[in-house]
Amino acid sequence: MSDLDATTPRVFLARHGETEWTKNGRYTGITDLDLTPEGVKQTTSTAAKLVGHGRLIDPARLVRIWVSPRRRAKQTFNSLFGNGDSGSGLVKSDDDRVVITEDIAEWGYGDYEGMRTGEVKKWRKERGLDGDREWSIWRDGCEGGESMDQVTVRLDGVIDEIRAMQGPLINGERPADVMLVAHGLILRAFVKRWLKYPIDQDLPMIYPPGGISVLSYKNRNVEEPGFFVGLALPADN
């Protein structure tokens, strides 16, 4: 399958742009931060290169866009689809295709909100936890927050909905691309579940602020989910 003229439905994942806590490596779940000026540049630059009619992410081919309810994700959605002061966005926030939902909000960090990984590990060990192995959010979850199983349930619900929408259109009968605009950790968890791996599966991933990932299916088969290792971008008109 060539991405140049792909008709197999795709799933675009967009991580929000930089925030002050992104820069500092702090776990940011429910804390409602704005994008930094650099974060806005990241998302508008991505939009200029990848979003638009005839581009990789073509609004005319999108049938559903899930957006996390956090402000940084909403700002990223608006940047990606040109929803500035002019109001001439490619996809407006009140479009019927747009769903604002906690289903793709960031992992609930609970007591670890605002902390760094090293701080969490140190704090847990000081209280006698993790004596035989280091803490892993993927396996151990967060005290006062979400477990691996809880995150799995909500992401699997979204994945089931996506496959129900795209399965009947797997051969390109009509456009059926979808998009998620969310957060770094939850989107990496989503990739694991899309590939049918448990969330604690060791799968090192790097996901920069403002980054775009693309998932789809092998062999036009909804039971063979995959991801693009590389992309052939549409030719300039």
Side-chain angles (χ1 to χ4, degrees):
M1 180 181 69
S2 168
D3 190 52
L4 184 64
D5 58 353
T7 56
T8 302
R10 294 167 294 181
V11 180
F12 297 105
L13 308 180
R15 183 185 177 187
H16 66 74
E18 178 192 83
T19 69
E20 286 298 331
W21 281 15
T22 303
K23 291 195 300 182
N24 297 327
R26 297 181 182 277
Y27 287 123
T28 318
I30 61 173
T31 304
D32 221 3
L33 300 178
D34 289 316
L35 300 181
T36 62
E38 179 61 25
V40 174
K41 288 180 183 178
Q42 289 167 341
T43 55
T44 54
S45 176
T46 296
K49 295 177 176 65
L50 299 181
V51 182
H53 298 297
R55 294 179 179 167
L56 177 67
I57 303 172
D58 189 333
R61 299 185 62 83
L62 290 170
V63 295
R64 183 69 55 83
I65 305 170
W66 286 268
V67 183
S68 162
R70 302 297 167 263
R71 199 156 59 227
R72 56 197 183 275
K74 291 179 180 178
Q75 289 172 337
T76 296
F77 165 80
N78 286 328
S79 291
L80 289 174
F81 292 100
N83 291 315
D85 294 337
S86 68
S88 59
L90 296 169
V91 181
K92 296 181 174 59
S93 58
D94 61 354
D95 191 295
D96 289 342
R97 295 174 291 173
V98 178
V99 178
I100 310 294
T101 176
E102 291 281 349
D103 288 344
I104 60 165
E106 184 58 298
W107 194 306
Y109 296 125
D111 298 345
Y112 307 154
E113 183 82 5
M115 298 176 72
R116 299 179 177 89
T117 299
E119 294 170 339
V120 173
K121 290 180 178 180
K122 180 181 177 181
W123 186 48
R124 286 175 63 93
K125 286 186 176 180
E126 288 173 349
R127 293 179 294 121
L129 301 175
D130 312 322
D132 57 343
R133 62 184 184 184
E134 282 201 327
W135 170 75
S136 164
I137 190 170
W138 305 108
R139 178 188 63 237
D140 304 317
C142 300
E143 295 174 276
E146 285 188 292
S147 68
M148 177 184 78
D149 290 342
Q150 288 172 313
V151 171
T152 297
V153 167
R154 63 182 173 97
L155 291 183
D156 283 2
V158 176
I159 290 170
D160 288 346
E161 190 173 351
I162 291 172
R163 289 184 177 151
M165 294 171 64
Q166 294 184 333
L169 306 173
I170 198 70
N171 293 308
E173 290 84 352
R174 63 177 184 271
D177 289 345
V178 301
M179 188 174 194
L180 280 66
V181 184
H183 312 268
L185 197 72
I186 204 67
L187 289 177
R188 282 179 281 164
F190 185 92
V191 170
K192 292 181 182 183
R193 294 306 301 148
W194 181 260
L195 298 175
K196 302 183 180 181
Y197 295 153
I199 283 181
D200 61 350
Q201 171 80 35
D202 185 19
L203 186 64
M205 288 178 275
I206 298 170
Y207 208 143
I212 300 289
S213 298
V214 189
L215 308 173
S216 189
Y217 308 91
K218 295 175 61 179
N219 304 315
R220 295 184 183 273
N221 184 350
V222 75
E223 298 302 325
E224 295 186 57
F227 65 94
F228 283 86
V229 176
L231 292 170
L233 298 179
D236 293 333
N237 295 327

